Amino acid sequence: MTGLLGHDLGLRPHTDALDGVPRTDDPQKAKDFTSDQEVRWCPGCGDYVILATVRSLLPELGVRRENIVFVSGIGCSSRFPYYLDTYGVHSIHGRAPTLATGLAVTRPDLSVWVVTGDGDALSIGGNHLVHALRRNVNMRILLFNNRIYGLTKGQYSPTSEVGKVTKSSPGGSVDAPFNTLSLALGAEASFVARALDSDRAGLTEVLRAAAHHRGAAFVEILQDCPIFNDGSFDVLRKDEAPSHLIPLRHGEPIIFGVDDELCVVRKGFGLRVVQRSEVDAADIVVHDAHTDDPEYAYALSRLSDQDLRYVVTGIVRQVVRTTYDDAARAQVRSAQESGTADLQQLLRGDNTWTVP
C-alpha cells in the first residue's frame, strides 16, 4: 500500500483474491454447487444463464464450498444464493455490500460475492455500492442490469432509458440513467467489467478474472427481463450486434464491426469510434486495462450510451491497490503489537470529560 498508512503497517498488495482461501484437492463439478432448491425465475429470464455460468466456473477455482459465500439484497437477482450449494445470505434492500464488507474484513478465508440488480444496487443501495468500491473491499459485485424493476412488476429503474414507459412512468421516464461503468470508475473501483448474459464465453472470462482479482471487482451483466422489459438488449444479440459491441482485450487494438470495419481512436481528452479506413493503423487505440490512468478507462466507459449504439464489453480496468480489509486487519495487528489492544484500558483512559 502506498503512502504513510501502507509504510506504517508494512502492507504488500496481494494479487490474487483466493490467497488464503482454503482449496480442495477433490474434483468438483457444477452439480456440486447446485442446491436442492427449485429455481424460480420467469421462463426466458437471463438469470438462468448467469446461474449456469457461475455454477460452471466455481469448480474451476478449486475452492472449498464452505469457504464461498454469496450475499444478495432484494430483487429477482437476489434469489441467487438459494440456488447455489455454498454459504449464502439473502439480506435487505441495497445493503448487501455492507454485510459482505463485514465478512471480507473478519473472514479472510472466504471468497465473498455480492449479487444485486440495477434497482437494488443503484437506487436504495447506491451509497453502499460506491463506498464498497471506493474502499476496495475484497469482494466480487455482480450487478444484473435489465433496466427495469422486475420483482415489483415493471417500474422504471436507475438504468432505464429516457422516455421509458412503465407503470411508474406512464408518460415516459424523464430521469437520465446511470452509466454504470462510469459510476464504478468514478468510485475508484479497481476492477470494472461488463458482459452480456447470452455471451457465455465472454461472461465466463470476465467472472474468472473477477474471482481472482483482489479488491472490489465490479461486473455489470446485461440481462433480459422477458416479462417487463423483453428485448431490451436484442440489438446486441442479432446479426448487427458486432457493429454495436466493442469487445475489449488487454494488449489488443480496439477493432470491431461485422467486418472489423470500426475502431476506437483518441480525440482530445476522450475517445471516439471511427471507420478503420479513415485512420492509420498506428492511430487505433491498444487497450490497456492495467494502466494507472483512470481517465482512459473513464473515456472507454463513455463510449457506451443509453441508446445502445455502442456498448463496451470485457474488462475495462484492472489495477492492483491495497484492499480495505487487508488494511483494517493490519491496523488491528499493529494495535495489538503496540500493547494498546486492551478494550477496558481504552474505555477507562484519560481521554474523558464530565458534563455538569
Side-chain angles (χ1 to χ4, degrees):
M1 183 174 184
T2 58
L4 180 62
L5 178 61
H7 175 75
D8 288 346
L9 300 181
L11 291 179
R12 296 293 183 272
H14 295 277
T15 57
D16 195 330
L18 299 181
D19 286 348
V21 179
R23 309 294 182 96
T24 178
D25 294 327
D26 297 329
Q28 296 174 319
K29 298 181 180 179
K31 67 178 182 180
D32 296 321
F33 291 90
T34 302
S35 75
D36 60 358
Q37 299 299 300
E38 178 186 358
V39 181
R40 293 188 177 184
W41 286 312
C42 301
C45 177
D47 289 359
Y48 285 100
V49 179
I50 303 172
L51 175 62
T53 304
V54 170
R55 281 176 175 169
S56 298
L57 172 69
L58 292 178
E60 176 187 320
L61 303 180
V63 175
R64 293 174 50 191
R65 290 180 298 160
E66 300 92 328
N67 293 89
I68 302 174
V69 58
F70 282 81
V71 184
S72 66
I74 296 297
C76 296
S77 64
S78 295
R79 303 182 64 84
F80 213 81
Y82 290 102
Y83 308 138
L84 291 169
D85 198 6
T86 64
Y87 277 109
V89 179
H90 190 173
S91 69
I92 55 180
H93 209 182
R95 273 67 176 184
T98 62
L99 274 75
T101 296
L103 285 169
V105 171
T106 59
R107 293 289 303 274
D109 61 327
L110 296 179
S111 177
V112 180
W113 299 67
V114 169
V115 176
T116 184
D118 47 305
D120 184 56
L122 299 174
S123 187
I124 191 172
N127 196 46
H128 300 289
L129 173 67
V130 296
H131 289 297
L133 297 177
R134 174 181 65 85
R135 290 168 172 155
N136 198 34
V137 183
N138 188 27
M139 65 174 76
R140 280 116 292 288
I141 301 175
L142 311 185
L143 190 153
F144 298 8
N145 182 8
N146 54 22
R147 305 209 292 182
I148 203 75
Y149 277 97
L151 186 67
T152 51
K153 308 301 186 287
Q155 299 89 350
Y156 77 95
S157 85
T159 57
S160 297
E161 63 273 25
V162 173
K164 183 72 174 180
V165 176
T166 71
K167 294 177 180 178
S168 57
S169 56
S173 170
V174 298
D175 285 5
F178 275 126
N179 181 316
T180 50
L181 300 188
S182 297
L183 177 71
L185 291 165
E188 302 294 343
S190 57
F191 182 105
V192 176
R194 176 188 282 143
L196 192 63
D197 60 355
S198 57
D199 179 11
R200 184 77 176 265
L203 178 57
T204 300
E205 182 178 345
V206 164
L207 291 178
R208 180 184 296 115
H212 288 280
H213 177 77
R214 193 172 190 85
F218 177 85
V219 179
E220 178 191 25
I221 306 173
L222 304 182
Q223 170 255 333
D224 191 44
C225 175
I227 304 301
F228 298 108
N229 204 20
D230 191 27
S232 56
F233 296 114
D234 276 0
V235 70
L236 306 181
R237 310 178 198 277
K238 296 180 178 178
D239 293 340
E240 68 270 24
S243 294
H244 298 278
L245 291 169
I246 307 178
L248 302 175
R249 291 188 177 277
H250 177 71
E252 296 185 9
I254 306 178
I255 298 171
F256 66 104
V258 175
D259 297 312
D260 286 342
E261 74 278 9
L262 299 170
C263 66
V264 173
V265 298
R266 295 187 180 275
K267 179 185 178 183
F269 293 106
L271 303 172
R272 67 170 177 169
V273 174
V274 298
Q275 293 285 329
R276 284 181 67 189
S277 59
E278 298 176 357
V279 299
D280 294 332
D283 293 330
I284 300 174
V285 173
V286 176
H287 181 47
D288 184 0
H290 305 154
T291 179
D292 289 331
D293 177 12
E295 288 83 4
Y296 166 70
Y298 188 80
L300 277 176
S301 74
R302 304 311 295 178
L303 291 174
S304 302
D305 58 31
Q306 66 166 349
D307 298 325
L308 306 181
R309 181 184 179 191
Y310 299 120
V311 175
V312 171
T313 61
I315 299 173
V316 177
R317 180 170 170 81
Q318 183 177 12
V319 296
V320 176
R321 60 186 178 92
T322 299
T323 67
Y324 174 86
D325 41 296
D326 281 337
R329 289 190 294 270
Q331 196 172 61
V332 170
R333 289 193 299 270
S334 178
Q336 292 171 334
E337 292 168 0
S338 68
T340 59
D342 187 326
L343 178 60
Q344 292 304 317
Q345 179 182 346
L346 291 173
L347 292 176
R348 299 174 181 174
D350 297 329
N351 190 20
T352 61
W353 60 93
T354 302
V355 178

